[in-house]
Amino acid sequence: MEATQIRIQDLNVWYGSQHILRNINAAIPARGITAIIGPSGCGKTTLLRSINRLLEETEGMRVSGQVLLGGVDIYRPGADVTAVRTRIGLLAPKPFPLPMSIYENVAYGPRIHGWHSGHLYEIVQRNLEAAGLWDEVKDRLRTPASRLSTGQQQRLCLARALAVEPQVLLCDEPTSALDPISAQGVESQLQRLKQDHTVVVVTHILRQARRLADNVMFMWLGELVEEGTAVQLFTSPNDPRTKAYLAGSIG
Amino acid sequence: MRRIAAKLFNPKSDRAGSDPRRSRRWWKRVALDKSAHYTMRLLTMATVGLVPLIAGALLWRAWPILATHRLTSLLFSQAWHPLRGEFGFLPFIMGTLWVTTVAMLLAVPPSLLTAIYLAEYAPVRVQRLANPVIDLLAGIPSVVYGVWGVLVIVPLVGNQILPFVSRHLGALALFRTDNPTGFGVLAGGAVLAVMIFPLIIAVAQDLIRAVPQGLREASLSLGATRWQTVKHVVLRRARAGVVAAVVLGCSRALGETMAVLMVVGNVPQIPRSIFDAAYPLPALIANNYGEMMSVPLYDAALLGSALVLLLVVLGFNVASRLAVMRLVGTN
Ligand SMILES: Nc1ncnc2c1ncn2[C@@H]1O[C@H](COP(=O)(O)OP(=O)(O)OP(=O)(O)O)[C@@H](O)[C@H]1O
Ligand SMILES: [Mg+2]
């Protein structure tokens, strides 16, 4: 639980002349759940997307600094972006099922990497079970994924992300599009996943952060104000801005 | 007055007359809304009605020939001897199909790849440069393409491509010819291809762009390469649109007249090779309508061929629409 999985060093992000992330330095421990909290527009999504290099899909974003995964900088020249993204998965706030069947959605990752063509079915089943969706879809694996409900789609996206066996799973407001029951389902899946994955969750819901997080990072206007264990940060925050945010008086 | 208005504007669903709160302003708003609705409906119906109207007019004027010749002999006879009263459309139908097929083969692969490049790979700078130029290409009058075809494509085909191909592939009937001029199917198809290029690029590009960014990112987040993402996700999602773009290009190619007519040779024969001269339907009509009208039934025959062209294009559109619907349905 203590080893550092991801170390972020002097990370800066600009969009044009707008300085979106300022000198972020942080350590995300291996396994367990790290929650990123902070007011809207403070850069949580940007930070998450810079950790799996998805940020460069937005034209005009400039990144400097380092993100070390297991000690190796993912931004080093010649780094293989696809390998980075395979090891660090990202779950978007809104589910985007690929235009194919439920089965093919989960099999997509293993297929494009050319893995295990022999026992794809087992992989699909295992990951749908891990995402808590198997029982609901096992009789209609061949139907288009777009026919699932939003909550089911979100769990399908989770299964799809897990199928490429990432070490790290980044979740950007994974329950924001869901009803309370589905949200609870996703939360309990994340809690199981943290046993052998490093999970990073961006959330607006402080109670969710309290429920889930082992560690918390608080961001404010593009800066990382404070990070620490959940207990420490929630009970005795050091920075006045963190205090004010937790008390609900800012943000 | 109000009562009349109330009757006019659907008295059952809004029992407005009995409600004293509904003021004159309310009536004005409703009247405007309804009249806008009916005006637009009328215009739409008029537009839709044009198709049967045109088809009806053609049918009426082509009737003399339809009444005197069997349909099968009109459609499947090769004999085109107006002075002898023989009117076989087959050479012209085949000419249209040959030229259109060659144009599609030449145009579709490069224009789809261009559309994919511009929508998925090109930096904004390149897009800003390329797209206005492509739009410009679409706006060039077809006679200009025709002149360009005569000056560039025809000599290129006649002096370079034909000798080269017949030396190396002359054994294949598709490439064998006794027409050394360069005016023929290949020149017509090439000019057409250049003309429908911008159309296919523009439409396909828009539809590829309409695929949500989140879908691309979902695929990339799993470690897919950009090409894998394009091939398995973006094109799959956009495939109905891509088909629609190709269909649009094909419709345009089927009916294009001026530029093709200038380079295709205009010999009423069934082409056997891509170097043979051909005589597509639109060229037949454009070249001959208004001339030799004293020949009996000639006028009716030309309008009959126009009807055939219209039906070919309509049939093609219906078929492709069904195909697109099936693709959308399986998504
Ligand atoms: N694609 C983009 N183009 C331009 N600016 C962007 C883009 N994405 C984010 N930004 C800017 O970066 C800053 C941080 O945005 P980000 O989405 O990371 O915030 P966030 O903390 O995730 O907010 P929220 O809680 O509302 O999701 C904002 O000021 C935003 O305007
Ligand atoms: Mg966000």
Side-chain angles (χ1 to χ4, degrees):
Chain A
M1 162 93 209
E2 268 322 299
T4 297
Q5 177 97 27
I6 294 175
R7 185 176 294 283
I8 301 169
Q9 285 176 343
D10 302 323
L11 185 74
N12 282 279
V13 173
W14 290 267
Y15 181 80
S17 60
Q18 191 189 351
H19 200 169
I20 298 179
L21 292 184
R22 300 163 185 268
N23 286 320
I24 308 281
N25 283 283
I28 298 173
R31 284 182 278 282
I33 296 181
T34 300
I36 304 178
I37 58 173
S40 184
C42 68
K44 304 182 294 294
T45 298
T46 308
L47 178 61
L48 216 56
R49 288 162 61 87
S50 66
I51 299 178
N52 80 337
R53 293 193 58 174
L54 203 58
L55 201 60
E56 56 212 61
E57 287 306 308
T58 310
E59 203 167 321
M61 289 282 184
R62 270 185 305 127
V63 183
S64 80
Q66 297 186 318
V67 175
L68 306 175
L69 173 68
V72 183
D73 182 15
I74 63 170
Y75 282 101
R76 74 187 182 281
D80 176 4
V81 186
T82 60
V84 169
R85 293 182 186 147
T86 309
R87 293 167 71 187
I88 309 178
L90 181 89
L91 194 59
K94 252 180 65 186
F96 280 99
L98 301 176
M100 44 189 89
S101 70
I102 296 170
Y103 180 91
E104 288 299 327
N105 259 273
V106 184
Y108 179 78
R111 264 198 219 285
I112 57 170
H113 292 293
W115 299 342
H116 346 269
S117 41
H119 40 275
L120 261 181
Y121 187 89
E122 288 145 58
I123 295 177
V124 171
Q125 174 170 5
R126 176 153 39 81
N127 289 293
L128 281 172
E129 278 168 356
L133 189 61
W134 175 252
D135 289 330
E136 286 158 71
V137 300
K138 61 172 185 268
D139 301 321
R140 47 170 171 153
L141 290 173
R142 298 289 169 187
T143 56
S146 54
R147 295 208 193 130
L148 295 173
S149 76
T150 312
Q152 289 170 327
Q153 287 181 8
Q154 189 66 323
R155 280 175 286 155
L156 179 69
C157 291
L158 180 60
R160 184 177 71 193
L162 295 176
V164 293
E165 297 171 15
Q167 299 162 359
V168 181
L169 190 64
L170 310 170
C171 309
D172 192 355
E173 303 183 38
T175 61
S176 63
L178 306 185
D179 70 287
I181 306 282
S182 313
Q184 208 177 20
V186 169
E187 272 187 31
S188 56
Q189 301 311 325
L190 292 181
Q191 248 155 356
R192 282 206 307 183
L193 285 171
K194 76 173 190 178
Q195 309 303 328
D196 42 12
H197 291 77
T198 302
V199 180
V200 182
V201 180
V202 166
T203 178
H204 272 293
I205 312 165
L206 283 178
R207 265 185 297 165
Q208 186 175 52
R210 282 183 214 271
R211 277 195 299 271
L212 292 177
D214 303 300
N215 301 280
V216 181
M217 295 162 64
F218 172 65
M219 293 183 68
W220 172 257
L221 296 180
E223 284 176 52
L224 177 61
V225 172
E226 193 169 351
E227 65 171 321
T229 64
V231 177
Q232 179 261 316
L233 195 131
F234 282 129
T235 53
S236 54
N238 293 320
D239 195 282
R241 289 169 292 184
T242 318
K243 255 181 221 147
Y245 183 75
L246 292 177
S249 56
I250 59 168
Chain B
M1 182 66 203
R2 272 191 190 184
R3 211 170 301 152
I4 297 168
K7 229 180 209 153
L8 199 61
F9 301 133
N10 200 355
K12 275 193 195 109
S13 64
D14 42 30
R15 286 153 298 171
S18 60
D19 188 342
R21 281 171 305 175
R22 301 217 158 142
S23 65
R24 210 192 176 117
R25 262 222 344 255
W26 184 84
W27 279 112
K28 230 170 125 181
R29 262 180 6 150
V30 173
L32 196 62
D33 180 46
K34 297 270 176 179
S35 55
H37 176 163
Y38 286 120
T39 311
M40 291 187 285
R41 184 149 101 183
L42 199 71
L43 288 172
T44 309
M45 280 174 358
T47 312
V48 173
L50 268 178
V51 175
L53 219 62
I54 292 174
L58 287 178
L59 189 65
W60 173 52
R61 295 291 303 273
W63 191 250
I65 196 148
L66 294 174
T68 51
H69 291 64
R70 282 215 323 280
L71 196 59
T72 47
S73 83
L74 283 176
L75 290 180
F76 301 117
S77 158
Q78 303 188 35
W80 179 261
H81 304 294
L83 292 173
R84 278 189 257 148
E86 292 172 6
F87 298 99
F89 293 146
L90 192 62
F92 307 99
I93 295 174
M94 292 308 287
T96 294
L97 294 183
W98 267 82
V99 174
T100 305
T101 307
V102 169
M104 295 315 282
L105 289 176
L106 291 177
V108 169
S111 52
L112 287 186
L113 290 175
T114 307
I116 292 170
Y117 172 74
L118 285 173
E120 296 293 317
Y121 291 84
V124 174
R125 235 168 344 101
V126 176
Q127 294 170 22
R128 290 224 180 103
L129 193 75
N131 279 321
V133 177
I134 290 168
D135 290 345
L136 196 73
L137 279 178
I140 295 178
S142 79
V143 67
V144 175
Y145 280 105
V147 171
W148 172 77
V150 171
L151 293 179
V152 179
I153 299 292
V154 170
L156 185 73
V157 171
N159 303 332
Q160 315 287 331
I161 301 177
L162 176 59
F164 180 83
V165 171
S166 57
R167 192 159 356 110
H168 293 97
L169 296 163
L172 297 170
L174 190 61
F175 303 113
R176 211 162 33 209
T177 187
D178 48 13
N179 165 30
T181 60
F183 286 92
V185 171
L186 183 59
V191 170
L192 258 186
V194 175
M195 292 183 68
I196 59 178
F197 224 72
L199 186 68
I200 301 181
I201 293 176
V203 176
Q205 193 187 164
D206 280 352
L207 292 162
I208 291 171
R209 237 180 255 287
V211 173
Q213 179 64 13
L215 218 48
R216 293 185 185 88
E217 292 185 355
S219 167
L220 293 171
S221 290
L222 298 168
T225 61
R226 185 166 302 272
W227 175 243
Q228 286 172 324
T229 302
V230 167
K231 186 169 153 222
H232 299 300
V233 177
V234 177
L235 288 184
R236 188 153 175 165
R237 173 70 178 252
R239 66 187 163 179
V242 169
V243 171
V246 171
V247 166
L248 215 63
C250 196
S251 299
R252 172 88 200 270
L254 281 170
E256 173 53 40
T257 310
M258 203 56 209
V260 181
L261 170 157
M262 293 167 76
V263 300
V264 81
N266 299 328
V267 179
Q269 62 181 11
I270 296 178
R272 304 270 166 221
S273 121
I274 59 168
F275 298 113
D276 283 350
Y279 208 159
L281 285 163
L284 169 73
I285 302 161
N287 272 338
N288 298 301
Y289 195 74
E291 290 176 23
M292 301 207 310
M293 289 316 221
S294 56
V295 178
L297 290 179
Y298 196 60
D299 160 80
L302 288 182
L303 289 161
S305 70
L307 190 62
V308 170
L309 180 62
L310 185 70
L311 291 179
V312 168
V313 174
L314 276 182
F316 178 77
N317 271 296
V318 170
S320 50
R321 199 156 284 261
L322 289 178
V324 168
M325 260 158 53
R326 266 196 51 190
L327 282 179
V328 173
T330 56
N331 232 343

